[in-house]
């Protein structure tokens, strides 16, 4: 283990002695160090005698019985240990200042690990370059490495086939020989991975449309070249259709009645081609349900194409949905398939459907009714075989009443409504969700799962979770990353969860998300949500009345008052 870091200077102001010891040192008489090296776990030893360490082969380094040990990693393996021992007479100081010293040791360890990694990268750079050259001969896609001046440094065999040239001819040529100067100037502006639509000149003299995924390559923080992957436009639909969704019903965690009832409904309607609308507050996992429904349908081998209607500017949304033809507008240099065409044979998921601009609602209604689309600028219709799943956190009934959402489109989409309950209505699932994400994030970060203190657990159970599962994920990730010890304490929680005034017992009157059901303004929305969840039969309405803590006749009066259908 080699490092040029003068790490001891970091501890000049502390009454401790710090040593960096390699893992191959003779530690037969030191079970403490052996345990750290074998497990990678940090240790704080206050008295070596308590650890059956009466004789020790590292006495020459440390004369006290109080010290901290940190494992040093390289490529996920322990290659040494960083030991900080109290100087003689300063054992109590080390114990009293444990936290301050541990932070300094963690910083030093990270510094050493980064230096070791950089050294290893420099040593292996030459061999990696040779391996890259070998890999390029096996890559099936058209991939190039191009220098800042446009010189082609390497190409895959597919590039040679596309442009009918041998590798020895292409390597050394300028990229402008196969694409326009304007396209190259545009691609050179990429400071991060970005996709461009370009046209390349074939030996036949014809132009061929590609999408170019451009990734700048850096060395020591400086741009040195570009990795470019070309995909013929006609192959794009095939590539997307080969993608697989991430979630199934198995990924929906929870055993409470509210979530299980929704899962049962979703499973029953999944095999059909029925149009589904998934409703629920932000962060409840609407896209997870949409993907799970797709996975359980006969369309599971087809594409799942999502589109967030609120995330794309209105001027571009029509083209994204339905595609466009060359020349339809400025910048339309080639034909482009929209999301509906890409979803042909599979499922299209339109998230935040309540934010769809009113002018596009009429065009979407025609697609829902006829399963035909017209590209922007085109005069002919193209049939599409898709299942439509939509989602929203907004009250569509209010939008219809205000004239912001077409009533006919609402009834076309609201065939099978699925209402996902918020976390506060399935509170018994919180421990299951915390445990799941705790193990998931710990595994991703190569850490042992932590234990949660009773006080933290109480706070997490009592919190109202306005951001639902998305917020819970963030909180768990927060303390997985920041908690140094094995026990998650209140100090490892985000600031807003540390303030007792914001937590406390769950009380509908104190929870703004629950309090809204007492307001006449939102009462109609709440009744509609519950009717969508339980149904509109007499037995279902009894459940709604019980949920709202009102009598059944009162519920009927409110339904008539708000003209709820």
């Amino acid at each position: 283990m080699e490092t040029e870091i003068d790490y001891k200077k970091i501890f000049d102001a502390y009454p401790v002695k710090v040593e960096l010891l390699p893992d191959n040192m003779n530690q037969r008489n030191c079970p403490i160090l052996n345990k750290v090296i074998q497990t990678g776990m940090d240790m704080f030893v206050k008295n070596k005698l308590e650890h059956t360490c009466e004789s020790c082969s590292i006495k020459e380094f440390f004369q006290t019985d109080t010290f901290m040990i940190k494992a040093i990693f390289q490529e996920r393996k322990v290659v040494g240990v960083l030991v900080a021992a109290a100087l003689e007479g300063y054992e109590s100081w080390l114990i009293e200042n444990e936290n301050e010293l541990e932070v300094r040791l963690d910083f030093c360890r990270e510094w050493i690990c980064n230096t070791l990694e950089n050294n290893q990268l420099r040593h292996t750079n030459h061999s990696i370059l040779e391996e890259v050259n070998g890999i390029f001969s096996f890559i099936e896609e058209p991939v190039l490495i191009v220098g800042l001046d446009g010189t082609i440094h390497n190409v895959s065999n597919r590039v040679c086939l596309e442009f009918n040239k041998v590798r020895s001819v292409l390597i050394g040529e300028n990229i402008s020989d196969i694409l326009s100067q304007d396209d190259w100037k545009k691609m050179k502006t990429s400071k991060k991975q970005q996709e461009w639509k370009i046209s390349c000149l074939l030996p036949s003299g014809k132009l061929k449309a590609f999408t170019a995924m451009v990734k700048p390559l850096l060395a020591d923080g400086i741009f040195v070249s570009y990795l470019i992957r070309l995909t013929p436009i006609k192959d794009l639909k095939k590539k997307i259709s080969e993608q697989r969704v991430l979630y199934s019903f198995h990924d929906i965690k929870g055993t409470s009645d509210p979530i299980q009832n929704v899962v049962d409904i979703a499973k029953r309607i999944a095999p059909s081609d029925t149009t589904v609308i998934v409703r629920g507050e932000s962060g409840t996992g609407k896209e997870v349900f949409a993907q799970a429904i797709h996975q359980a349908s006969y369309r599971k081998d087809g594409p799942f194409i999502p589109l967030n209607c609120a995330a794309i500017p209105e001027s571009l949304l029509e083209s994204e949905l339905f595609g466009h033809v060359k020349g339809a507008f400025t910048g339309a240099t080639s034909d482009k398939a929209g999301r509906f065409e890409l979803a042909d044979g599979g499922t299209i998921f339109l998230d935040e459907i309540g934010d769809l601009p009113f002018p596009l609602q009429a065009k979407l209604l025609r697609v829902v009714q006829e399963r035909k689309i017209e590209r922007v600028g085109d005069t002919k219709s193209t049939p599409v075989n898709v299942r439509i799943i939509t989602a929203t956190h907004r009250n569509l009934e209010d939008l219809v009443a205000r004239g912001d959402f077409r009533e006919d489109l609402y009834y076309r989409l609201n065939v099978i409504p699925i209402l996902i309950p918020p976390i506060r209505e399935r509170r018994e699932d919180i421990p299951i969700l915390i445990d799941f994400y705790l193990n998931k994030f710990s595994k991703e970060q190569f850490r042992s799962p932590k234990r949660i203190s009773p006080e933290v657990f109480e706070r997490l159970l009592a919190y109202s979770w306005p951001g639902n599962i998305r917020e819970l994920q963030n909180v768990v990730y927060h303390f997985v990353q920041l908690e140094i010890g094995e026990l998650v304490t209140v100090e490892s929680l985000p600031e807003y969860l540390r303030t007792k005034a914001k937590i406390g017992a769950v009380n509908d009157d104190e929870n703004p998300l629950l309090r809204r059901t007492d307001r006449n303004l939102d009462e109609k929305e709440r009744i509609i949500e519950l009717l969508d969840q339980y149904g509109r039969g007499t037995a279902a309405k009894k459940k709604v009345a019980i949920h709202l803590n009102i009598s059944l006749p009162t519920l009927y009066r409110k339904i008539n008052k708000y003209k709820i259908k």
Side-chain angles (χ1 to χ4, degrees):
M1 180 178 64
E2 297 179 1
T3 176
E4 299 173 357
I5 296 177
D6 190 2
Y7 59 90
K8 295 184 180 181
K9 288 184 178 180
I10 300 175
F11 303 93
D12 281 349
Y14 295 89
V16 295
K17 180 179 181 180
V18 180
E19 293 289 346
L20 180 60
L21 307 177
D23 65 334
N24 58 1
M25 181 181 176
N26 180 15
Q27 292 108 13
R28 293 181 182 175
N29 294 329
C30 189
I32 300 172
L33 283 177
N34 280 334
K35 182 177 180 181
V36 173
I37 291 171
Q38 291 169 6
T39 65
M41 295 174 58
D42 299 339
M43 294 194 69
F44 180 26
V45 180
K46 297 181 180 178
N47 187 342
K48 284 194 294 185
L49 296 179
E50 296 176 2
H51 295 264
T52 65
C53 194
E54 297 180 2
S55 60
C56 183
S57 59
I58 60 169
K59 278 280 190 180
E60 57 186 282
F61 293 104
F62 310 109
Q63 303 302 319
T64 67
D65 293 335
T66 305
F67 50 86
M68 288 184 175
I69 309 174
K70 298 281 183 180
I72 302 296
F73 295 91
Q74 185 176 7
E75 297 179 349
R76 301 179 191 172
K77 295 181 180 179
V78 178
V79 295
V81 291
L82 186 66
V83 186
L87 297 178
E88 189 173 355
Y90 285 92
E91 290 84 353
S92 59
W93 180 95
L94 194 152
I95 294 172
E96 292 171 2
N97 294 272
E98 172 188 352
N99 291 336
E100 182 181 351
L101 184 60
E102 186 162 30
V103 170
R104 189 62 61 101
L105 283 169
D106 284 333
F107 171 78
C108 184
R109 169 168 61 183
E110 185 175 355
W111 189 9
I112 293 172
C113 290
N114 288 340
T115 300
L116 291 172
E117 183 178 353
N118 290 336
N119 289 342
Q120 181 66 26
L121 286 174
R122 282 195 292 270
H123 290 324
T124 58
N125 184 55
H126 181 70
S127 60
I128 288 176
L129 184 60
E130 291 182 349
E131 290 173 1
V132 168
N133 289 333
I135 289 171
F136 260 80
S137 63
F138 290 96
I139 295 176
E140 296 182 359
E141 296 185 12
V143 178
L144 311 85
I145 291 183
V146 181
L148 298 180
D149 60 354
T151 302
I152 299 173
H153 293 169
N154 216 328
V155 297
S156 66
N157 289 336
R158 178 70 182 275
V159 175
C160 302
L161 293 175
E162 288 286 350
F163 297 100
N164 196 26
K165 293 183 178 181
V166 297
R167 289 181 83 245
S168 58
V169 171
L170 279 170
I171 294 176
E173 276 193 351
N174 196 282
I175 189 71
S176 59
D177 292 337
I178 59 176
L179 56 85
S180 70
Q181 284 284 359
D182 288 341
D183 280 341
W184 172 236
K185 287 179 181 178
K186 178 174 62 178
M187 292 160 64
K188 283 179 65 175
T189 64
S190 301
K191 300 301 181 185
K192 59 182 180 179
Q193 184 167 304
Q194 193 169 352
E195 187 174 78
W196 303 93
K197 291 181 174 60
I198 64 170
S199 297
C200 292
L201 183 65
L202 301 180
S204 63
K206 294 183 179 181
L207 289 175
K208 185 173 181 178
F210 291 86
T211 59
M213 182 64 73
V214 182
K215 180 178 178 60
L217 302 179
L218 290 80
D220 296 327
I222 301 173
F223 292 110
V224 293
S225 58
Y226 297 92
L227 179 65
I228 303 173
R229 185 187 68 196
L230 301 175
T231 303
I233 295 294
K234 67 179 182 180
D235 292 346
L236 185 59
K237 179 179 176 181
K238 180 180 178 183
K239 283 182 175 295
I240 294 179
S241 70
E242 292 172 351
Q243 293 178 356
R244 291 295 176 263
V245 293
L246 300 176
Y247 301 107
S248 66
F249 286 115
H250 176 74
D251 297 300
I252 299 172
K253 305 301 178 183
T255 58
S256 64
D257 288 342
I259 194 66
Q260 285 302 312
N261 290 339
V262 178
V263 170
D264 288 343
I265 294 172
K267 285 181 177 179
R268 288 203 300 272
I269 58 93
S272 68
D273 257 352
T274 308
T275 300
V276 178
I277 183 166
V278 185
R279 305 182 69 165
E281 297 176 5
S282 294
T284 50
K286 294 185 285 293
E287 184 166 354
V288 174
F289 266 86
Q291 292 187 7
I293 291 170
H294 171 76
Q295 280 286 67
S297 73
Y298 75 89
R299 294 176 177 270
K300 64 181 180 180
D301 293 326
F304 178 90
I305 305 296
L307 177 69
N308 188 320
C309 299
I312 298 176
E314 183 176 346
S315 58
L316 301 176
L317 189 53
E318 183 177 2
S319 173
E320 280 296 322
L321 281 169
F322 310 120
H324 64 251
V325 296
K326 182 179 180 181
F329 49 82
T330 303
T333 57
S334 61
D335 290 355
K336 174 194 171 184
R339 300 296 177 98
F340 271 95
E341 284 185 80
L342 295 175
D344 192 39
T347 302
I348 187 168
F349 173 59
L350 302 178
D351 198 5
E352 303 297 354
I353 192 66
D355 294 291
L356 187 70
F358 196 83
L360 285 181
Q361 293 177 22
K363 294 190 176 184
L364 178 61
L365 176 63
R366 181 170 180 240
V367 176
V368 175
Q369 290 174 329
E370 302 177 9
R371 293 300 196 269
K372 292 181 180 179
I373 61 101
E374 280 187 13
R375 292 185 177 184
V376 178
D378 205 352
T379 56
K380 66 178 186 296
S381 297
T382 303
V384 288
N385 172 23
V386 297
R387 182 183 194 171
I388 299 174
I389 300 178
T390 58
T392 183
H393 72 283
R394 303 187 67 183
N395 188 320
L396 292 183
E397 291 75 17
D398 280 354
L399 294 178
V400 171
R402 295 201 304 264
D404 293 331
F405 199 87
R406 293 180 63 105
E407 187 175 18
D408 46 6
L409 179 59
Y410 165 76
Y411 286 116
R412 283 288 182 178
L413 298 178
N414 197 43
V415 179
I416 300 290
I418 292 179
L419 179 61
I420 304 177
I423 288 184
R424 64 178 178 276
E425 293 180 6
R426 42 180 292 215
R427 204 166 290 277
E428 57 267 48
D429 290 334
I430 292 177
I432 296 173
L433 292 168
I434 292 174
D435 184 64
F436 172 74
Y437 290 115
L438 183 61
N439 284 284
K440 179 178 183 290
F441 295 145
S442 296
K443 185 177 180 181
E444 290 174 356
Q445 300 299 319
F446 303 101
R447 299 181 180 181
S448 300
K450 303 177 185 297
R451 294 180 294 108
I452 299 177
S453 70
E455 185 179 0
V456 168
F457 205 72
E458 275 184 30
R459 286 170 180 254
L460 297 181
L461 286 176
Y463 184 53
S464 61
W465 298 107
N468 291 294
I469 293 177
R470 186 181 296 120
E471 183 183 11
L472 186 143
Q473 287 177 323
N474 292 341
V475 169
V476 175
Y477 190 82
H478 185 95
F479 62 64
V480 166
Q481 284 282 53
L482 296 186
E483 179 56 60
I484 298 175
E486 295 182 1
L487 184 69
V488 178
T489 63
V490 173
E491 294 304 313
S492 296
L493 294 177
E495 178 63 31
Y496 68 94
L497 282 174
R498 296 183 213 165
T499 308
K500 290 185 178 180
K502 293 185 179 180
I503 314 296
V506 179
N507 187 321
D508 288 3
D509 295 330
E510 296 175 358
N511 189 328
L513 289 172
L514 297 180
R515 189 171 64 241
R516 68 187 184 130
T517 63
D518 295 330
R519 301 174 185 168
N520 290 332
L521 183 64
D522 293 323
E523 189 174 49
K524 176 182 176 182
E525 176 185 352
R526 186 60 175 159
I527 292 173
I528 290 171
E529 288 178 349
L530 292 171
L531 288 172
D532 287 344
Q533 178 178 347
Y534 292 110
R536 282 169 165 72
T538 302
K541 288 176 181 175
K542 287 181 180 178
K543 293 181 180 179
V544 173
I546 293 171
H547 194 103
L548 293 173
N549 198 25
I550 60 177
S551 66
L552 185 59
T554 300
L555 176 62
Y556 275 110
R557 284 197 298 271
K558 291 181 181 292
I559 289 174
N560 291 330
K561 173 185 175 182
Y562 296 124
K563 298 179 181 179
I564 298 173
K565 298 178 180 179

